[in-house]
Amino acid sequence: MPRPLDGISSIKVKLSILIVAAVAMTASTSQIGVWLGWPVWVRPIVSGAAALLMVQFLARGMTKPLRRMADATTAMARGDYSRRIDSNGRDEVAQLARSFNAMAAELAETDRLRKEFVANASHELRTPVAALRSTLENLVDGVGRPDQDTLARMLARAEHLSTLVGQLLDLSRLDSETDLGETHPVDLGDLVHDVADELTLVDPRCRITVRAPFDLKVDGQTDRLRQVFVNIIGNAVRFSRPGEPVLVTVTQNNGSAGVAVRDTGPGIPAQERHKVFERFWQAGGMARTGSGGAGLGLAISKQIVDQHGGTIDVRENKPCGACFVVTLPRRQRAPSSTEGDTSPPIH
Ligand SMILES: Nc1ncnc2c1ncn2[C@@H]1O[C@H](COP(=O)(O)OP(=O)(O)O)[C@@H](O)[C@H]1O
Ligand SMILES: [Mg+2]
């Protein structure tokens, strides 16, 4: 139900109206008392009561949102984020109620994501632990034999677990950091060449072609940026068609440096691209059936790139495959003759 002062957008004006109305009511009731010949002691009682009634009527609902907020905050402390406050008015209390509702919705979403994350992480950890445990139980009971094959499978599961725990620690570290901390000049061309060499060393069959200009630097942390490129180039190698090269192109613009990683794999359907940087997301639940990681690599990469003030994006690679593009702000330095050159020498 609309309240008398709902249309006023300032609490100060509302209070002023209340005071003026109370004074006017007291004075007019008192005057009426004089005309009607009320005894002297009756007049202040009647006019005080009339003023109080008037204030009660006008101030109806002015403090209700504050009481509701107090109740909702107590409920939030118990983990109930579902309470919302009516915020129909236009004054500062109504604005506070709207901000409170927005904050409650954000906290509810954060709480949902936290629960989902814990559930996913537990699931991902439980699967290899259960497999390791059952293999070990078989070995202890004498049902299985500790042959090369069994030990290699156990080692693979232990490695998977260790990668997963490392990624979970990375995420928790990144979540708790508010800024990047100390940065150094990082040569992007050198970095992607190193990553390509490292991946080729691990799997000599993979083919990675790098095109990068000399001396294109960004400010950042080498290890973290390496982690980004190991993941996106590693993914591209993993999803590319056998024998087809992965193309890594480093380009520069006046204010930014870009790294595009193109492969010829299945790509990521347009309707799923917005989910690709979510934690534990995998196209068609791929890793749950055994291949690759747990779907944390791109979430970690995005957080690192965000921390560096850059962007990471996925597009379609024509005619087929995926194209991941990382853009980072270029290192700030005094203008030189080569600054602004957008077609640098390639090495
Ligand atoms: N180059 C790519 N081509 C096709 N799908 C990809 C590519 N890169 C990532 N994906 C999809 O995104 C998912 C998440 O990748 P990522 O976060 O690196 O996790 P992981 O490598 O552990 O699977 C992958 O499982 C895959 O489904
Ligand atoms: Mg990955």
Side-chain angles (χ1 to χ4, degrees):
M1 201 175 86
R3 292 177 290 252
L5 301 182
D6 267 359
I8 297 167
S9 61
S10 158
I11 201 99
K12 258 196 225 163
V13 175
K14 279 187 178 179
L15 290 174
S16 310
I17 292 175
L18 279 186
I19 293 167
V20 171
V23 170
M25 181 58 103
T26 314
S28 50
T29 319
S30 205
Q31 188 58 49
I32 292 169
V34 173
W35 289 335
L36 297 179
W38 290 347
V40 176
W41 61 271
V42 174
R43 277 182 249 150
I45 296 175
V46 175
S47 50
L52 264 179
L53 278 175
M54 164 75 98
V55 169
Q56 281 295 323
F57 172 70
L58 289 180
R60 205 154 47 90
M62 256 171 76
T63 53
K64 200 162 150 195
L66 294 174
R67 282 197 302 277
R68 288 263 166 88
M69 269 185 256
D71 290 347
T73 318
T74 314
M76 271 183 189
R78 290 196 308 265
D80 172 8
Y81 297 97
S82 62
R83 306 259 188 113
R84 297 291 179 271
I85 318 296
D86 287 343
S87 54
N88 295 330
R90 294 170 54 203
D91 64 7
E92 289 88 343
V93 176
Q95 280 171 25
L96 180 65
R98 279 193 285 277
S99 306
F100 183 92
N101 287 345
M103 181 193 75
E106 220 161 280
L107 283 175
E109 177 62 6
T110 309
D111 190 53
R112 188 189 68 76
L113 289 175
R114 183 185 59 79
K115 285 183 181 148
E116 196 179 285
F117 178 75
V118 171
N120 280 330
S122 320
H123 173 83
E124 291 295 334
L125 288 168
R126 203 174 51 191
T127 313
V129 167
L132 260 178
R133 189 179 159 175
S134 75
T135 316
L136 277 170
E137 274 173 0
N138 285 346
L139 292 182
V140 170
D141 294 347
V143 181
R145 287 168 50 81
D147 54 25
Q148 200 60 29
D149 195 36
T150 312
L151 293 176
R153 271 207 321 274
M154 284 172 64
L155 180 65
R157 279 171 191 149
E159 277 167 355
H160 179 77
L161 264 178
S162 137
T163 309
L164 185 56
V165 170
Q167 286 185 321
L168 290 172
L169 284 174
D170 282 341
L171 274 178
S172 118
R173 210 172 298 138
L174 286 163
D175 279 344
S176 64
E177 283 174 0
T178 47
D179 65 14
L180 188 55
E182 207 182 322
T183 59
H184 308 278
V186 182
D187 188 310
L188 268 190
D190 286 352
L191 184 62
V192 291
H193 273 290
D194 276 1
V195 170
D197 292 346
E198 200 178 301
L199 292 171
T200 318
L201 210 66
V202 176
D203 179 6
R205 283 169 306 173
C206 73
R207 290 175 56 204
I208 305 169
T209 307
V210 178
R211 290 196 192 131
F214 284 108
D215 197 29
L216 173 55
K217 292 200 171 78
V218 295
D219 276 319
Q221 291 191 358
T222 315
D223 288 348
R224 295 224 166 147
L225 290 176
R226 178 188 299 276
Q227 206 175 342
V228 172
F229 296 119
V230 165
N231 184 50
I232 56 175
I233 302 175
N235 282 348
V237 166
R238 197 167 108 214
F239 290 103
S240 247
R241 286 203 291 248
E244 300 263 358
V246 165
L247 183 61
V248 184
T249 324
V250 184
T251 50
Q252 63 174 322
N253 253 316
N254 280 343
S256 64
V259 181
V261 179
R262 295 183 173 84
D263 65 65
T264 54
I268 296 166
Q271 68 277 13
E272 300 215 299
R273 281 185 207 140
H274 66 283
K275 292 196 213 148
V276 95
F277 300 104
E278 283 175 13
R279 295 173 182 194
F280 294 108
W281 182 85
Q282 298 193 302
M286 214 170 299
R288 309 210 194 302
T289 59
S291 88
L296 289 175
L298 287 174
I300 294 175
S301 303
K302 178 161 170 46
Q303 254 178 290
I304 295 176
V305 173
D306 284 350
Q307 247 190 358
H308 281 76
T311 58
I312 180 167
D313 207 3
V314 60
R315 299 171 194 165
E316 189 184 348
N317 182 37
K318 295 260 166 54
C320 67
C323 172
F324 279 84
V325 180
V326 175
T327 310
L328 294 163
R330 273 185 72 183
R331 181 171 152 71
Q332 299 297 317
R333 58 177 179 187
S336 71
S337 56
T338 55
E339 199 78 20
D341 180 2
T342 53
S343 53
I346 302 289
H347 69 118

